[in-house]
Amino acid sequence: MSVALELLNRDRILAELPDVACNRLSRLEVYPTLDSTNAYLLEGARAGWPSGAVCLAERQTAGRGRQGRNWVTPFGAGLAFSLLWRFEVSPEALGGLSLVTGIAVARALQNLGVLEVGLKWPNDIWWHERKLGGILLESGGTARMFYVVAGIGLNVALPDPDAALIDQPWVDLREILGAVPVDRNRLAAALIGDLIGAFCRFQESGFAGFTEEWVRFDRVRGRRVHLQLPNTTVAGIARGVDATGALLLETEDGRLSSYLGGEIGLRVGS
Ligand code: BTN
């Protein structure tokens, strides 16, 4: 039996969003198709839109992933949205923000019944070592008035032909939650609410207040990993993160080095 697709609906998302998050929202837009929700909000940021702008798209024709990859977004099969936030701090202080975004997404999913959700540094959303979602942070502005666009993509119910294009182990919410149908409007509201809450907290106290939660979701700690840096690969044992969100890697000679997000790739296993 096929179940009718419930489209994303601005009023339903707003109705489910907690007041504290609503108060921080400057706009909420839902589109049937966009090239990329990140590209759309970056354009808005350059035009001077204030913090708290959110946009969602049922389908992206040029969805962007990390490290120059595409992000597959077939119509109604996932959740693709972005949040624009402005920070009155220097860009260096934003190191942990990408991890904080992952924590907020993982927390929201756990509250919705995705109990075994985890994070692969810096911010892949994992379920049993299969990718459930991804996060792409893009930024701009000046040193003291910086903006970040945080883009979140989640697999909800991927059709087979689109899933065949994904070049790594993946999973969608339909498989995880089985018979329980996914209410994407409720999911969107929960994610946006937790994300706004986390960004407000980060603005006040940085990454320090999130380190315990990171430990709870971190799925690479203690594992052998390979870090793909721009010109080389480094192998070692992942030893968690430091106070800025940088990955701590213990290499064979016993030394501990830290690596901060950006375009670093990470492969788990030997
Ligand atoms: C990754 O490669 O893991 C990051 C994927 C991020 C995809 C999301 S979907 C919404 C937002 N808009 C984009 O173009 N990309 C991000």
Side-chain angles (χ1 to χ4, degrees):
M1 189 186 71
S2 67
V3 180
L5 172 69
E6 195 198 10
L7 294 179
L8 292 172
N9 178 298
R10 181 177 185 276
D11 293 339
R12 275 220 48 215
I13 297 171
L14 284 174
E16 299 265 357
L17 207 57
D19 286 348
V20 276
C22 260
N23 295 339
R24 298 289 189 136
L25 207 62
S26 60
R27 64 169 77 205
L28 179 73
E29 299 179 0
V30 179
Y31 290 94
T33 301
L34 276 181
D35 53 353
S36 149
T37 56
N38 265 31
Y40 180 76
L41 284 191
L42 283 168
E43 193 65 35
R46 287 189 282 269
W49 291 0
S51 231
V54 172
C55 101
L56 302 94
E58 290 284 11
R59 167 173 173 259
Q60 296 183 116
T61 53
R64 302 177 182 176
R66 291 184 72 236
Q67 300 183 291
R69 294 207 181 97
N70 294 330
W71 184 259
V72 178
T73 320
F75 191 91
L79 195 65
F81 75 95
S82 303
L83 166 69
L84 164 67
W85 208 260
R86 293 184 184 273
F87 291 91
E88 287 173 32
V89 292
S90 64
E92 300 79 62
L94 296 179
L97 187 66
S98 116
L99 279 64
V100 165
T101 307
I103 291 170
V105 172
R107 190 197 303 143
L109 287 169
Q110 207 165 53
N111 289 338
L112 292 169
V114 185
L115 302 181
E116 286 153 333
V117 64
L119 295 167
K120 179 187 140 205
W121 184 92
N123 54 20
D124 273 1
I125 313 297
W126 250 15
W127 186 82
H128 291 274
E129 308 211 3
R130 290 154 72 190
K131 189 153 168 167
L132 171 62
I135 291 168
L136 177 68
L137 260 59
E138 297 185 86
S139 57
T142 56
R144 298 227 45 91
M145 206 353 143
F146 202 61
Y147 59 78
V148 172
V149 170
I152 288 91
L154 278 184
N155 303 328
V156 177
L158 287 182
D160 292 340
D162 300 283
L165 302 174
I166 303 176
D167 62 356
Q168 57 183 308
W170 62 273
V171 67
D172 59 19
L173 288 175
R174 176 181 49 190
E175 181 183 333
I176 298 172
L177 297 174
V180 186
V182 178
D183 178 338
R184 288 185 309 135
N185 287 303
R186 205 173 138 228
L187 177 65
L191 288 164
I192 295 166
D194 273 11
L195 203 55
I196 289 180
F199 275 27
C200 291
R201 246 175 81 201
F202 181 85
Q203 203 158 20
E204 274 160 29
S205 44
F207 183 63
F210 292 89
T211 44
E212 264 177 40
E213 235 179 328
W214 174 261
V215 171
R216 194 153 65 78
F217 288 120
D218 182 2
R219 292 292 178 274
V220 299
R221 177 184 286 256
R223 310 267 312 261
R224 184 167 173 75
V225 299
H226 286 85
L227 279 189
Q228 286 131 19
L229 307 175
N231 298 315
T232 180
T233 300
V234 192
I237 308 290
R239 296 292 182 207
V241 299
D242 70 11
T244 67
L247 181 82
L248 295 171
L249 189 74
E250 184 186 328
T251 41
E252 259 171 28
D253 54 10
R255 283 192 15 212
L256 208 56
S257 310
S258 60
Y259 296 87
L260 199 55
E263 285 306 288
I264 300 176
L266 181 144
R267 209 155 37 79
V268 179
S270 44

